[in-house]
């Protein structure tokens, strides 16, 4: 089982990089999986979708969803949580 760690609040179309790749410059492929994550401020559980970005060099996996009022949270697998730049 993968542990998902909160990485950041993100804004649509505002640059956010994972492993050097801006997530907004690529198509997101929904993995048809709902992942339960914990909100960083409220501590409430949420069910967010898991996505992948695929390129010839690598596949990046993340979980993203909306908390409320357009505030979106992005989560990364535990081992990747420190690789955002």
């Amino acid at each position: 089982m993968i542990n998902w760690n909160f990485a950041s609040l993100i804004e649509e179309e505002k640059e956010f990089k994972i492993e050097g790749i801006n997530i907004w410059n690529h198509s997101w492929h929904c993995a048809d999986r709902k992942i339960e994550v914990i909100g960083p401020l409220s501590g409430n559980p949420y069910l967010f979708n898991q996505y992948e970005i695929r390129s010839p060099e690598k596949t990046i996996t993340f979980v993203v969803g909306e908390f409320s009022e357009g505030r979106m949270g992005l989560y990364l697998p535990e081992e990747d949580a420190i690789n955002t730049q």
Side-chain angles (χ1 to χ4, degrees):
M1 185 168 131
I2 298 174
N3 290 324
W4 295 90
N5 291 333
F6 176 75
S8 182
L9 290 174
I10 60 172
E11 296 178 40
E12 195 167 338
E13 302 300 324
K14 185 174 179 185
E15 182 178 86
F16 184 82
K17 291 184 178 182
I18 302 172
E19 297 182 32
I21 294 176
N22 181 3
I23 63 172
W24 300 111
N25 291 342
H26 299 272
S27 297
W28 299 6
H29 302 279
C30 187
D32 293 325
R33 295 181 74 188
K34 295 276 188 184
I35 305 295
E36 184 174 308
V37 296
I38 303 299
L41 303 175
S42 66
N44 294 332
Y46 294 88
L47 284 177
F48 288 167
N49 287 321
Q50 179 179 330
Y51 296 93
E52 292 181 342
I53 292 174
R54 300 180 195 130
S55 72
E57 299 83 31
K58 62 179 107 179
T59 298
I60 297 169
T61 303
F62 56 96
V63 171
V64 70
E66 186 174 345
F67 294 121
S68 65
E69 300 176 8
R71 294 175 52 130
M72 296 171 54
L74 185 135
Y75 292 76
L76 295 172
E78 190 167 75
E79 64 274 5
D80 293 337
I82 59 172
N83 292 331
T84 60
Q85 297 178 17

